Amino acid sequence: MTTIQVGCDLTYSVTKPTSFLFNVAAARTGYQIISQENLQLNPNIKYVTSSLGTEDIQVYRLTVEPCDLQLQYRAIVDLSPEIYDTSGIVEAGYSQLPNEVLPYLNPSRYCESDRLTHFVLRMFGNVQPGFSRVTAICDWINCNLDYQAGSTGESTSACDVLIGRVGVCRDYAHLAIALCRALCIPARYISGYAVALQPPDFHGFFEAYLGSRWYLFDATRMAPVEGFVRIGTGRDAADASFATIIGEATLTTMAVWAEQTAPNPLLNQTVPQSAVSTTG
Amino acid sequence: MTTIQVGCDLTYSVTKPTSFLFNVAAARTGYQIISQENLQLNPNIKYVTSSLGTEDIQVYRLTVEPCDLQLQYRAIVDLSPEIYDTSGIVEAGYSQLPNEVLPYLNPSRYCESDRLTHFVLRMFGNVQPGFSRVTAICDWINCNLDYQAGSTGESTSACDVLIGRVGVCRDYAHLAIALCRALCIPARYISGYAVALQPPDFHGFFEAYLGSRWYLFDATRMAPVEGFVRIGTGRDAADASFATIIGEATLTTMAVWAEQTAPNPLLNQTVPQSAVSTTG
Amino acid sequence: MTTIQVGCDLTYSVTKPTSFLFNVAAARTGYQIISQENLQLNPNIKYVTSSLGTEDIQVYRLTVEPCDLQLQYRAIVDLSPEIYDTSGIVEAGYSQLPNEVLPYLNPSRYCESDRLTHFVLRMFGNVQPGFSRVTAICDWINCNLDYQAGSTGESTSACDVLIGRVGVCRDYAHLAIALCRALCIPARYISGYAVALQPPDFHGFFEAYLGSRWYLFDATRMAPVEGFVRIGTGRDAADASFATIIGEATLTTMAVWAEQTAPNPLLNQTVPQSAVSTTG
Amino acid sequence: MTTIQVGCDLTYSVTKPTSFLFNVAAARTGYQIISQENLQLNPNIKYVTSSLGTEDIQVYRLTVEPCDLQLQYRAIVDLSPEIYDTSGIVEAGYSQLPNEVLPYLNPSRYCESDRLTHFVLRMFGNVQPGFSRVTAICDWINCNLDYQAGSTGESTSACDVLIGRVGVCRDYAHLAIALCRALCIPARYISGYAVALQPPDFHGFFEAYLGSRWYLFDATRMAPVEGFVRIGTGRDAADASFATIIGEATLTTMAVWAEQTAPNPLLNQTVPQSAVSTTG
């Protein structure tokens, strides 16, 4: 078990009556126990905490009049990822895939897997199926994309990234998800906190469904997956925005962090051949 | 209550071991009671019937060796749509939307609502919100698109249709869904059988969430919504394909039908000002 | 004849050996006589003046070592546009179009006319052909787009603008050109100086070929076409960039102006029914 | 010198008064002498032969009433390509490029080089500049695309092909042109006849400007460039369609051929290290 302190401070200049949905809280799962948690809003507005979807996502919903809105979120998360030997992890045949996993094979707004079927067959069709094939996809993306803050935007999709060869974490995840789906491997987008991410920010990564469970992957390789604290889960980043804003508000300041508090040096000892799962 | 006989015959030439997921069965809902139902496969292959998602979708999953596969589906459906007066149907504010409805605000593969925010404000920003505004969107689409079989393909999206101004039922639905979402009206894709559709085929239409329920709409205006039998529900057509094929198979023949058996003349008496709902 | 003083000051921070092609000089045509002209470069680098294409475009080419590069261009232009009554201006049949005009019917990078054939037929197919139809296209664009600085970028095309409904002068021109070509009206992009443009900047507009000559149009309606001083001509903005930079340089300051010096009040007396041509 | 017999038979069903521009005649250049040529139209309609652009393209223009139109073109072409040793062929610096070559650096409808600058730097930035780099681009395309008749359409662009990884000759050429331009190597599209092309058809290939001349390349490698007879030259296929049709006509039959008549065995002896130029 690893204990991780996560948090974020967000400030908005709200210029019209505005509804917010914040998706910044650590998800409650069997692998991720929240031992302390605190949400502070200033002004002290009433908000509703709700669970979204079937993946234990917790969101805050609120509506405010014009003001300077400050949100402070703090949590202490006990993380118990399951670690597997990668060598035995195979791809499930389509007929073995559970029903609830099937939607994650479909193309989505930012992951146009339907346009990439020929591409993946050429590039990854002959790669050994299983964990190693998703790793090969991550390797390829990591080698062929440049990480560059500000290089892409909200409408950038996996196909755009495949052409442009530059992006940020969400773009890396989108391309990986699209390539997995085109190979008939269910894949989905995860937003979260990440220990040791530089510069600190919300992180976007993904899960692929192999054998009979979801495994965490990060094609950016910017932080160890053992230190990922899950916030949102979705088909792509469209489902996991940290803030959905209906009205008129501008983000003025933002700070995000995730720090391992115990046991100290664990995350540095990442075993390369280990597969990490935090969903059943 | 209306009684509708629906059915389809599909034949495939299967040339490799292939898994199928058929989404052709009428959904089981409180508004749509299946009094008789029969699925016949030839060769007589074992299949699994499962429910997909939370919308009572029923799919058949099976895996076959190379063969000529024939599927025959027949059902008798008792349909009890709720009919409302349109004048009182308002749009729900974002803060009133239930959590489970929120994903239908997000852009999806074929409904890039994120690219249409400026467009909808210009075109429909000043239209009276509510049922009338979704009707205005359908009117506009109906006036500004030409229905032409074969004019679009599997990768055609709402933005493509907005440029091309020609399409088939799924394109009409995708554009309507994208425009609704861009106005912050939840909208989703429905596949189904449709009485009086010419030529007979599977139909694609949509639901918009207004007030506190989903209402049926069809921008093609090719058949009365009172005669729609729901099969699948999804974010767009990517979620509601009548057949998902993993392997190698070619559709060789296809017949689809929906006929009202009782009471006879009802569907011709469509009241223009009525709103039809078949989901709670 | 109108006399117009035009000029621009551009400053670049050049950080690597860099080649520039500047397309800022007023073109030499029978309708546009340059009575005075001065180009000043600081540092005082050798440059080559050349004519590009068959449209009397004059460009400056130079290569510099890392430095702060300053360009100052000044010219006095005597403009003698031909003014025609619009009512007699018809569209030329395809077989009447001169060979040299034909390339301006083809789709180009930012004007995908091939995707808009169905759209134009629906929207403008029944509009009276001739000058009035190009005017109708400009009217429609002017009504249906919002001018917003910074809303679009270098890769934005006519189809993007048709979806986004927001843009700057080059986007207005691109959409107009694409629509004209889709109707089989040759159209091309013009960059230039524009008297009374607010805020002052380089301007982008277009010419359509009607009857047997090119006429000036501006779908933005931000400045009178009688006060347009032509710089570059091309298929779209890709051909008429004011600065092409091969190397590494950042534009640090920029000023552009165009002022009518004589006769004074003319440009305010624009006759709405007049067609303006400055190419034979 | 090689002598090549080329020809095509095209039949159209014309259902409305229709104007045609046929771009099927072998171009007249210093390297390509037409010793015999015959155009036969049935019905025997009057046509105009004109030269298009500055590249000695010869087109036939005609207008017909509804009919079955048959075009038969035959020519005997004496081809004298210049053959150079590839090792000495360098890339010209931007400042050395002649003015008339510059437009072939700009992005065009089907060659969105502006979107590929990052991609080419990553893939070909460290490849030895010169003939070898354009060869490397052709190699890469040849290895990473599958040639498949009917896989793409009229609106398919270089970026589409980069994603889809499948196409026909025009797609191979478009991608190669886009990649060259993104590297600041002028490149243009050539349509032509090709000896030994299987199945026989019009061919699409490209020229890159290196050193101080244009060299022929074909990323499909389906036929030897020494046997290419030039028809049209343009920025991309939009400029070099074998038939432009304004009206209503359907191509009903089509045959194309190119056969070397003397000296017989030459084209089989293609020297891999030779660079072929048929433009000054």
Side-chain angles (χ1 to χ4, degrees):
Chain A
M1 197 192 75
T2 321
T3 300
I4 300 174
Q5 267 189 323
V6 300
C8 66
D9 285 1
L10 307 173
T11 321
Y12 290 89
S13 167
V14 183
T15 45
K16 275 191 186 169
T18 296
S19 292
F20 287 88
L21 182 148
F22 287 109
N23 192 4
V24 297
R28 278 106 174 88
T29 77
Y31 304 82
Q32 188 168 289
I33 309 294
I34 316 300
S35 61
Q36 287 183 39
E37 188 174 49
N38 186 258
L39 179 74
Q40 201 83 34
L41 291 174
N42 185 359
N44 189 8
I45 289 147
K46 239 179 46 186
Y47 63 89
V48 177
T49 306
S50 7
S51 284
L52 207 64
T54 54
E55 280 95 7
D56 307 307
I57 297 165
Q58 179 174 293
V59 298
Y60 304 119
R61 301 179 63 174
L62 49 121
T63 300
V64 298
E65 294 300 306
C67 66
D68 285 329
L69 175 68
Q70 194 180 17
L71 173 148
Q72 297 188 318
Y73 175 79
R74 309 276 180 275
I76 297 177
V77 181
D78 294 330
L79 200 62
S80 313
E82 300 208 29
I83 311 288
Y84 297 87
D85 177 26
T86 62
S87 62
I89 303 173
V90 297
E91 291 174 18
Y94 181 76
S95 57
Q96 277 94 54
L97 293 174
N99 291 323
E100 66 272 20
V101 160
L102 295 178
Y104 296 108
L105 283 177
N106 295 343
S108 62
R109 172 64 180 95
Y110 300 114
C111 306
E112 314 99 320
S113 46
D114 55 311
R115 296 187 63 192
L116 295 169
T117 47
H118 202 88
F119 179 88
V120 291
L121 276 186
R122 286 198 126 273
M123 299 290 289
F124 303 103
N126 293 323
V127 174
Q128 173 75 23
F131 194 91
S132 52
R133 184 142 73 165
V134 180
T135 303
I137 288 174
C138 292
D139 287 345
W140 187 88
I141 290 174
N142 199 263
C143 280
N144 285 280
L145 254 59
D146 287 321
Y147 194 97
Q148 195 179 301
S151 58
T152 53
E154 291 235 330
S155 71
T156 305
S157 74
C159 285
D160 294 331
V161 174
L162 193 55
I163 291 164
R165 295 294 168 97
V166 63
V168 297
C169 59
R170 71 176 244 155
D171 302 306
Y172 279 66
H174 284 158
L175 183 50
I177 292 166
L179 295 176
C180 285
R181 290 181 189 164
L183 279 169
C184 207
I185 301 170
R188 62 188 188 184
Y189 187 86
I190 313 290
S191 64
Y193 295 94
V195 173
L197 184 67
Q198 285 303 333
D201 200 345
F202 290 115
H203 198 39
F205 38 99
F206 75 105
E207 283 182 320
Y209 190 89
L210 295 166
S212 56
R213 63 180 60 245
W214 291 102
Y215 294 92
L216 287 170
F217 290 90
D218 179 6
T220 71
R221 307 263 160 87
M222 291 171 74
V225 293
E226 292 88 343
F228 286 178
V229 173
R230 175 188 309 259
I231 299 172
T233 302
R235 300 200 182 184
D236 58 28
D239 288 347
S241 182
F242 72 85
T244 304
I245 300 169
I246 309 295
E248 201 174 278
T250 311
L251 181 66
T252 48
T253 69
M254 172 170 170
V256 182
W257 61 90
E259 275 161 40
Q260 189 183 352
T261 56
N264 260 328
L266 186 84
L267 286 181
N268 300 338
Q269 298 167 357
T270 303
V271 188
Q273 286 314 90
S274 62
V276 177
S277 178
T278 58
T279 352
Chain B
M1 198 191 75
T2 321
T3 301
I4 299 174
Q5 266 190 321
V6 301
C8 66
D9 285 0
L10 307 174
T11 321
Y12 290 89
S13 168
V14 182
T15 46
K16 274 190 185 169
T18 296
S19 292
F20 286 88
L21 183 148
F22 286 110
N23 193 3
V24 298
R28 277 108 175 87
T29 76
Y31 303 84
Q32 190 170 287
I33 309 295
I34 317 299
S35 60
Q36 287 183 40
E37 188 175 47
N38 186 258
L39 179 74
Q40 199 84 33
L41 291 174
N42 185 359
N44 189 8
I45 289 145
K46 239 179 48 186
Y47 63 90
V48 177
T49 305
S50 5
S51 283
L52 208 65
T54 53
E55 279 95 7
D56 308 306
I57 297 166
Q58 178 175 296
V59 298
Y60 304 118
R61 300 179 63 175
L62 50 123
T63 300
V64 298
E65 295 299 306
C67 67
D68 284 330
L69 175 68
Q70 194 180 16
L71 173 149
Q72 297 188 319
Y73 175 79
R74 310 274 181 277
I76 296 177
V77 182
D78 293 330
L79 199 62
S80 313
E82 300 209 27
I83 310 289
Y84 296 86
D85 178 26
T86 62
S87 62
I89 303 174
V90 297
E91 291 175 20
Y94 181 76
S95 57
Q96 277 95 53
L97 293 174
N99 291 323
E100 67 272 18
V101 160
L102 296 179
Y104 297 108
L105 282 177
N106 295 343
S108 62
R109 171 64 181 94
Y110 301 114
C111 305
E112 313 101 319
S113 46
D114 54 312
R115 297 187 63 192
L116 295 169
T117 47
H118 201 88
F119 179 88
V120 292
L121 277 186
R122 286 197 126 273
M123 298 291 289
F124 303 104
N126 293 322
V127 174
Q128 172 76 21
F131 193 92
S132 52
R133 184 142 71 164
V134 180
T135 302
I137 287 173
C138 292
D139 288 345
W140 188 86
I141 291 175
N142 199 262
C143 280
N144 285 279
L145 256 58
D146 287 320
Y147 194 99
Q148 195 178 303
S151 58
T152 52
E154 290 234 331
S155 71
T156 306
S157 74
C159 284
D160 294 330
V161 174
L162 193 55
I163 290 164
R165 295 295 167 96
V166 62
V168 297
C169 59
R170 71 176 243 154
D171 303 306
Y172 280 65
H174 284 159
L175 183 51
I177 291 167
L179 295 175
C180 285
R181 290 181 189 164
L183 278 169
C184 208
I185 302 170
R188 62 189 188 184
Y189 186 86
I190 312 289
S191 64
Y193 295 94
V195 173
L197 185 67
Q198 285 304 334
D201 200 346
F202 290 115
H203 198 38
F205 38 98
F206 75 105
E207 282 181 321
Y209 190 89
L210 295 165
S212 56
R213 63 180 62 244
W214 291 102
Y215 294 92
L216 288 170
F217 290 91
D218 179 8
T220 71
R221 308 261 160 89
M222 290 171 74
V225 293
E226 292 89 343
F228 287 177
V229 173
R230 176 186 309 258
I231 299 172
T233 303
R235 300 201 183 183
D236 57 29
D239 288 348
S241 182
F242 72 86
T244 303
I245 299 171
I246 308 295
E248 202 174 279
T250 312
L251 181 65
T252 47
T253 68
M254 172 169 170
V256 182
W257 61 90
E259 273 161 41
Q260 187 182 354
T261 56
N264 259 327
L266 188 84
L267 287 180
N268 300 339
Q269 299 167 357
T270 303
V271 188
Q273 286 313 91
S274 63
V276 177
S277 178
T278 58
T279 352
Chain C
M1 197 192 74
T2 321
T3 300
I4 300 174
Q5 265 189 322
V6 301
C8 67
D9 284 1
L10 307 173
T11 321
Y12 290 89
S13 168
V14 183
T15 47
K16 274 190 186 169
T18 296
S19 291
F20 288 86
L21 182 148
F22 287 109
N23 193 4
V24 298
R28 276 107 175 87
T29 77
Y31 303 83
Q32 189 170 288
I33 309 295
I34 318 299
S35 61
Q36 286 183 40
E37 187 174 47
N38 185 257
L39 179 74
Q40 200 83 33
L41 291 174
N42 185 0
N44 189 8
I45 289 146
K46 238 180 48 188
Y47 62 89
V48 176
T49 306
S50 5
S51 285
L52 208 65
T54 53
E55 279 94 8
D56 308 307
I57 298 165
Q58 179 174 295
V59 298
Y60 304 118
R61 300 179 65 175
L62 50 122
T63 300
V64 297
E65 295 299 307
C67 67
D68 285 328
L69 176 67
Q70 194 180 17
L71 173 148
Q72 298 188 319
Y73 175 78
R74 310 276 181 275
I76 296 176
V77 181
D78 294 330
L79 200 61
S80 314
E82 301 209 26
I83 311 288
Y84 296 87
D85 177 27
T86 62
S87 62
I89 303 174
V90 298
E91 291 174 19
Y94 181 77
S95 57
Q96 276 94 55
L97 293 174
N99 292 322
E100 67 272 18
V101 161
L102 295 178
Y104 296 108
L105 283 177
N106 295 343
S108 61
R109 170 65 181 93
Y110 301 114
C111 306
E112 314 101 318
S113 46
D114 55 312
R115 297 187 64 193
L116 296 168
T117 47
H118 202 87
F119 179 88
V120 291
L121 276 187
R122 284 197 127 275
M123 297 292 288
F124 303 104
N126 293 322
V127 174
Q128 172 75 22
F131 193 92
S132 53
R133 183 142 75 164
V134 180
T135 303
I137 288 174
C138 292
D139 289 344
W140 187 88
I141 291 174
N142 200 263
C143 280
N144 284 280
L145 254 59
D146 286 321
Y147 194 99
Q148 195 179 301
S151 58
T152 53
E154 291 234 331
S155 72
T156 305
S157 73
C159 285
D160 293 332
V161 174
L162 193 54
I163 290 164
R165 294 293 168 96
V166 62
V168 298
C169 59
R170 71 175 242 154
D171 304 305
Y172 280 65
H174 284 159
L175 182 51
I177 291 167
L179 295 176
C180 285
R181 290 181 190 165
L183 279 169
C184 207
I185 302 169
R188 63 189 188 183
Y189 187 86
I190 312 289
S191 65
Y193 296 93
V195 173
L197 185 67
Q198 284 303 333
D201 199 346
F202 290 116
H203 198 39
F205 38 99
F206 75 105
E207 282 182 321
Y209 190 89
L210 294 165
S212 56
R213 64 180 60 244
W214 292 100
Y215 294 92
L216 287 170
F217 291 90
D218 179 7
T220 72
R221 307 263 160 86
M222 291 171 74
V225 293
E226 292 88 344
F228 287 177
V229 173
R230 173 187 311 259
I231 299 173
T233 302
R235 299 201 183 184
D236 58 30
D239 288 348
S241 182
F242 71 85
T244 303
I245 300 170
I246 308 296
E248 202 174 276
T250 311
L251 181 66
T252 47
T253 67
M254 172 169 169
V256 182
W257 60 90
E259 274 161 42
Q260 187 183 353
T261 55
N264 260 327
L266 188 83
L267 287 181
N268 300 340
Q269 300 167 355
T270 302
V271 188
Q273 288 311 93
S274 63
V276 177
S277 179
T278 58
T279 351
Chain D
M1 198 194 74
T2 321
T3 301
I4 300 174
Q5 266 189 322
V6 301
C8 67
D9 285 0
L10 307 173
T11 322
Y12 290 88
S13 168
V14 182
T15 46
K16 275 192 187 168
T18 296
S19 291
F20 287 87
L21 182 149
F22 286 109
N23 193 3
V24 297
R28 277 107 176 87
T29 78
Y31 304 83
Q32 188 169 290
I33 309 295
I34 316 299
S35 61
Q36 288 183 39
E37 187 174 48
N38 185 259
L39 178 74
Q40 200 83 33
L41 291 174
N42 185 1
N44 189 9
I45 288 145
K46 238 178 50 185
Y47 64 89
V48 177
T49 305
S50 6
S51 284
L52 208 64
T54 54
E55 280 94 7
D56 308 308
I57 297 165
Q58 179 174 295
V59 298
Y60 304 119
R61 300 179 65 174
L62 50 123
T63 301
V64 298
E65 295 299 308
C67 67
D68 285 329
L69 176 68
Q70 194 179 16
L71 173 150
Q72 298 188 318
Y73 175 78
R74 309 275 180 277
I76 296 177
V77 182
D78 294 329
L79 200 62
S80 313
E82 301 209 27
I83 311 289
Y84 296 87
D85 178 28
T86 62
S87 62
I89 303 174
V90 298
E91 291 174 20
Y94 181 77
S95 57
Q96 278 94 53
L97 293 175
N99 292 323
E100 66 273 17
V101 161
L102 296 178
Y104 297 108
L105 283 177
N106 295 343
S108 62
R109 172 64 182 94
Y110 300 114
C111 306
E112 314 100 319
S113 46
D114 56 311
R115 296 188 63 191
L116 295 169
T117 47
H118 202 88
F119 179 89
V120 293
L121 276 187
R122 286 197 126 274
M123 298 292 288
F124 304 102
N126 293 323
V127 174
Q128 173 74 24
F131 194 91
S132 52
R133 184 142 73 164
V134 180
T135 303
I137 287 173
C138 292
D139 288 345
W140 187 87
I141 291 175
N142 200 262
C143 281
N144 285 280
L145 254 59
D146 287 320
Y147 193 98
Q148 196 178 301
S151 58
T152 53
E154 292 234 331
S155 72
T156 305
S157 75
C159 284
D160 294 331
V161 174
L162 194 54
I163 291 165
R165 293 295 168 96
V166 62
V168 297
C169 59
R170 71 177 241 155
D171 302 306
Y172 279 66
H174 284 158
L175 182 50
I177 291 166
L179 295 175
C180 285
R181 290 181 190 165
L183 279 169
C184 206
I185 301 170
R188 62 188 189 185
Y189 187 86
I190 312 290
S191 64
Y193 295 94
V195 173
L197 185 67
Q198 285 303 331
D201 200 345
F202 290 115
H203 198 39
F205 38 99
F206 75 104
E207 282 182 321
Y209 190 89
L210 295 165
S212 57
R213 63 179 62 243
W214 292 101
Y215 294 92
L216 286 171
F217 292 90
D218 179 7
T220 72
R221 307 263 160 87
M222 289 170 75
V225 293
E226 293 88 343
F228 287 177
V229 174
R230 175 187 309 259
I231 299 173
T233 302
R235 299 200 183 186
D236 58 29
D239 288 348
S241 182
F242 72 85
T244 303
I245 299 170
I246 308 295
E248 201 174 278
T250 311
L251 181 65
T252 48
T253 68
M254 171 170 169
V256 182
W257 59 90
E259 274 160 41
Q260 187 182 354
T261 55
N264 260 327
L266 187 82
L267 287 181
N268 299 338
Q269 299 166 356
T270 304
V271 188
Q273 287 311 92
S274 63
V276 177
S277 178
T278 57
T279 352

